[in-house]
Amino acid sequence: MSAVTDALQAYADRGVFRGFRATPGARGRIAYEFMWLTRKALHADYDSRSRTIRFAELLPAIDRAIAAEVTAILDARRNRNAANHKRIDGRRVRVAGTVRRGAYSLHVLVRGDNHEYAISTALNVINEIFVALREHHPEYLIEHFGLSAE
């Protein structure tokens, strides 16, 4: 099993995720699926050759305002003035977001033997993104993730 799978499995074992599944693929790739934060399954994959964890289409059909807000969250976490517990350590991981065909994806490049840190960082960033969406764009979560209007 990979270190990424082990790190994600630890979250599932603690009850953070529901329905965790890891499916090995070709050329050292592993696809993950689990329920967390919303009623829609979260998908991720890990490519052991490029050492990249990708949360593809994490946010479907986003507009420019949401994309800008998510970019600001990442920028704030990469800032050297961010609190230690929130700051992304660039020596251990590289975190980037991309928008392609209107969908936002999060990419985490693992540097060295920092797989557990990479997963923790990715999940903390994703959680912060969804907290911001609940606060500023609840209609987006209702429409695309089936969250209750209440």
Side-chain angles (χ1 to χ4, degrees), residues 82-141:
N84 286 340
H85 69 283
K86 285 194 164 204
R87 183 175 45 239
I88 295 172
D89 184 348
R91 296 168 298 176
R92 298 168 80 182
V93 296
R94 298 288 170 137
V95 181
T98 59
V99 177
R100 187 176 247 169
R101 291 186 295 258
Y104 183 86
S105 298
L106 187 71
H107 306 269
V108 181
L109 172 65
V110 182
R111 304 181 84 193
D113 191 27
N114 292 297
H115 299 84
E116 189 174 323
Y117 176 80
I119 289 299
S120 173
T121 298
L123 295 178
N124 286 334
V125 167
I126 291 168
N127 187 62
E128 188 171 344
I129 290 168
F130 275 84
V131 167
L133 289 173
R134 284 182 208 266
E135 186 175 326
H136 303 284
H137 305 281
E139 67 288 344
Y140 172 83
L141 293 176

Side-chain angles (χ1 to χ4, degrees), residues 46-114:
Y46 176 62
D47 183 339
S48 62
R49 294 185 318 171
S50 68
R51 303 177 60 78
T52 302
I53 305 160
R54 181 175 60 114
F55 294 85
E57 297 184 16
L58 177 66
L59 303 174
I62 63 169
D63 61 26
R64 288 180 187 221
I66 294 173
E69 192 164 339
V70 172
T71 299
I73 289 169
L74 273 182
D75 290 346
R77 284 191 160 244
R78 286 190 287 244
N79 189 315
R80 291 182 185 196
N81 295 325
N84 286 340
H85 69 283
K86 285 194 164 204
R87 183 175 45 239
I88 295 172
D89 184 348
R91 296 168 298 176
R92 298 168 80 182
V93 296
R94 298 288 170 137
V95 181
T98 59
V99 177
R100 187 176 247 169
R101 291 186 295 258
Y104 183 86
S105 298
L106 187 71
H107 306 269
V108 181
L109 172 65
V110 182
R111 304 181 84 193
D113 191 27
N114 292 297

Side-chain angles (χ1 to χ4, degrees), residues 28-43:
R29 291 179 188 255
I30 303 171
Y32 303 100
E33 181 178 328
F34 50 93
M35 300 296 289
W36 180 55
L37 300 175
T38 69
R39 295 178 183 163
K40 184 177 175 185
L42 186 65
H43 297 273

